[in-house]
Amino acid sequence: MTITTPQPGGGSTWLPDWRPEDQAFWESQGKARAWTTLILTTAALTMAFITWFLVSALVVRLPQIGFQFSPSQLFWLAAMPGLAGGTLRLVHMFLVPIYGTRHVVSLSTLSLLIPLTGWFYAVQNPATPFWVLMLLAFLAGLGGGNFSSFMPSTSMFFPKRLQGTALAIQAGIGNFGVSVVQFVTPWVIGFALLGGMAWIGEPQTMTRAGVDSQIYLQNAPLVMIPFVAVFGITAWLFLKSIPITSNFREQFDIFRSGNTWAQTSIYIMTFGGFSGLSATFPLLIRQVYGGFEGAPDPLAWAFWGPLVGSASRVVAGPVADRLGGARVTHWAGLGMLVSAFLVTLTLAPTSLDSFGLFVSAMLALFFFAGIGNASTFKQMPMLFPPRQAGGVIGFTAAIAAYGPFIFGMLFAWSFGAFQSAAPVFYGLIVFFAFNVVLNWVLYARKNAPFPC
């Protein structure tokens, strides 16, 4: 880690000094700057998650407006943002120590305008080729990549005693973007925006349960575009970068620690589970319960999962600060394990009678995943010094961001081979059990070698 002074010509970007562990410095100027940065970057991160999960809200409507895609193709579309998000996070994890918070947050936020504009046009034409939608789905992953630069940046702005709370607030509110896009989409597509001006496009005819209605699916990306533009410009105008820098090569030292790999596995359980199920929950409802008369609208239910998980992440941050991240992760993992088992009891329904238990078990799974997301991000800053902690947060977040891609592929395989989602959840039960034991042995038990 290198403490630097502002570079020539960079006075508007780099702060001259940053010492959050110094109480006098924190109270006099650090606290205000840190919380301001948290607010601005959290707003931008929320838009990143909205963009990242936009495809999950659109994909269930595509067959209803004339797109001729198989279930496997739909799961591929839902999975593609996860592939991009995880890959781009592997890049983002290195950016803040090189370019600084201001440049990374503002420019990466403005980049979200590319997929949003693309989806605005693509959904208006059912003849849009599948490969074009796959490309746009991949570009939606730009939003997923942002997490691995925004979160390490935040961890550097706060003292260790507050990092669990700050990271939980940022990630939890950012995660609300998943619920926002899945909740807003069914509502906003139901009417013409701005009085039906010509440039907004024509409505599409949606056929659902034999009933035709007119919708504007392009409204879903359109309403997000001005918010992205405003937040990106605001970040450029008001954010500063802290003088903690490192080159690309120096940041690879995190991979020499076994804790990096253990924390990665645990975070795959928590955030990988959250993000993967958030992206596939609408399609899962459609595939498992969509064949019954009076079947539920997937988007009327799917947004509750990420909403519950995001809320529990915000609440669990201060709890992890008080009780310790490892202990909270332990109980969160056990909760995820039990919830996944309950889900398996509802995946071969003969009627809609088991839908209530299915949704309840899924919401419990999201709830405990959200708690685990917060507690694991409390563990990492306790195990590593600030610059390395930022790198570990970025790396674990990058790998876990493959959740939507992995889950999409697993469900596509499972339905194709077994006509059921049960094999996926059986595998999750085994994986959750492994990580509960790993966390207990290394971090949570009495006399653990790395208590955190």
Side-chain angles (χ1 to χ4, degrees):
M1 179 174 67
T2 306
I3 307 299
T4 67
T5 56
Q7 300 300 311
S12 62
T13 295
W14 297 93
L15 294 168
D17 185 28
W18 193 254
R19 291 172 283 114
E21 301 294 345
D22 183 328
Q23 189 63 25
F25 177 88
W26 176 253
E27 293 296 334
S28 64
Q29 54 184 297
K31 180 164 63 175
R33 171 69 65 184
W35 285 104
T36 298
T37 301
L38 178 65
I39 292 170
L40 295 178
T41 55
T42 299
L45 185 62
T46 302
M47 299 312 303
F49 270 89
I50 286 174
T51 304
W52 193 22
F53 282 86
L54 174 68
V55 180
S56 71
L58 296 177
V59 71
V60 295
R61 293 287 189 244
L62 295 180
Q64 298 169 348
I65 63 171
F67 285 84
Q68 302 297 314
F69 297 140
S70 68
S72 178
Q73 287 177 307
L74 294 175
F75 274 112
W76 264 104
L77 284 174
M80 195 52 49
L83 175 63
T87 304
L88 292 170
R89 284 187 180 192
L90 292 172
V91 177
H92 269 268
M93 62 177 284
F94 297 105
L95 297 183
V96 169
I98 298 174
Y99 298 107
T101 296
R102 182 193 184 209
H103 284 78
V104 173
V105 172
S106 59
L107 296 179
S108 60
T109 299
L110 291 172
S111 74
L112 303 179
L113 296 173
I114 300 172
L116 290 174
T117 303
W119 277 103
F120 169 75
Y121 287 107
V123 297
Q124 297 184 51
N125 181 11
T128 301
F130 180 67
W131 72 265
V132 173
L133 295 183
M134 285 286 284
L135 175 60
L136 291 173
F138 186 89
L139 289 173
L142 288 168
N146 292 2
F147 189 89
S148 280
S149 53
F150 287 29
M151 295 295 285
S153 168
T154 295
S155 73
M156 296 177 188
F157 271 90
F158 284 83
K160 284 190 174 184
R161 61 186 174 82
L162 293 176
Q163 287 183 8
T165 298
L167 292 173
I169 290 173
Q170 180 165 61
I173 294 177
N175 289 170
F176 275 122
V178 184
S179 291
V180 168
V181 72
Q182 293 180 348
F183 176 78
V184 168
T185 296
W187 169 70
V188 77
I189 65 176
F191 56 89
L193 291 175
L194 302 177
M197 297 177 67
W199 65 270
I200 292 177
E202 298 295 323
Q204 303 91 42
T205 299
M206 180 178 73
T207 303
R208 182 170 177 267
V211 178
D212 291 346
S213 59
Q214 298 295 299
I215 65 170
Y216 294 80
L217 198 57
Q218 65 268 32
N219 286 358
L222 178 60
V223 297
M224 307 305 173
I225 289 175
F227 291 99
V228 167
V230 168
F231 292 156
I233 294 170
T234 301
W236 179 264
L237 293 176
F238 293 102
L239 289 182
K240 301 290 185 180
S241 302
I242 61 175
I244 298 180
T245 65
S246 178
N247 62 37
F248 186 83
R249 180 182 57 81
E250 289 174 336
Q251 296 182 63
F252 275 86
D253 61 354
I254 63 172
F255 299 117
R256 293 196 290 268
S257 171
N259 285 317
T260 297
W261 303 106
Q263 288 294 304
T264 299
S265 180
I266 294 169
Y267 197 60
I268 290 173
M269 173 182 71
T270 57
F271 184 75
F274 171 85
S275 63
L277 290 172
S278 293
T280 53
F281 196 17
L283 281 176
L284 190 60
I285 295 173
R286 180 176 179 268
Q287 288 297 113
V288 178
Y289 288 92
F292 296 108
E293 184 177 354
D297 181 355
L299 292 183
W301 292 94
F303 80 92
W304 285 105
L307 178 66
V308 168
S310 302
S312 65
R313 184 168 192 166
V314 174
V315 173
V319 175
D321 275 339
R322 176 170 297 184
L323 300 180
R327 292 173 60 189
V328 176
T329 299
H330 176 70
W331 290 107
L334 289 175
M336 292 181 69
L337 195 157
V338 172
S339 300
F341 172 75
L342 292 176
V343 171
T344 65
L345 304 179
T346 67
L347 296 177
T350 56
S351 70
L352 290 176
D353 291 344
S354 60
F355 183 69
L357 177 59
F358 168 75
V359 171
S360 298
M362 287 294 294
L363 293 185
L365 183 49
F366 277 106
F367 174 79
F368 288 111
I371 292 175
N373 287 335
S375 57
T376 50
F377 266 23
K378 171 62 178 177
Q379 292 175 259
M380 296 175 209
M382 302 303 294
L383 292 168
F384 299 91
R387 195 265 302 160
Q388 286 188 325
V392 174
I393 289 171
F395 177 73
T396 58
I399 301 303
Y402 284 109
F405 175 72
I406 294 171
F407 275 68
M409 293 300 93
L410 287 175
F411 282 125
W413 161 78
S414 188
F415 279 110
F418 302 99
Q419 292 75 51
S420 171
V424 176
F425 283 92
Y426 291 139
L428 289 178
I429 290 170
V430 174
F431 182 63
F432 293 166
F434 167 78
N435 281 286
V436 168
V437 172
L438 179 67
N439 180 72
W440 174 258
V441 170
L442 293 180
Y443 308 116
R445 66 182 172 88
K446 185 178 181 179
N447 298 321
F450 306 103
C452 56

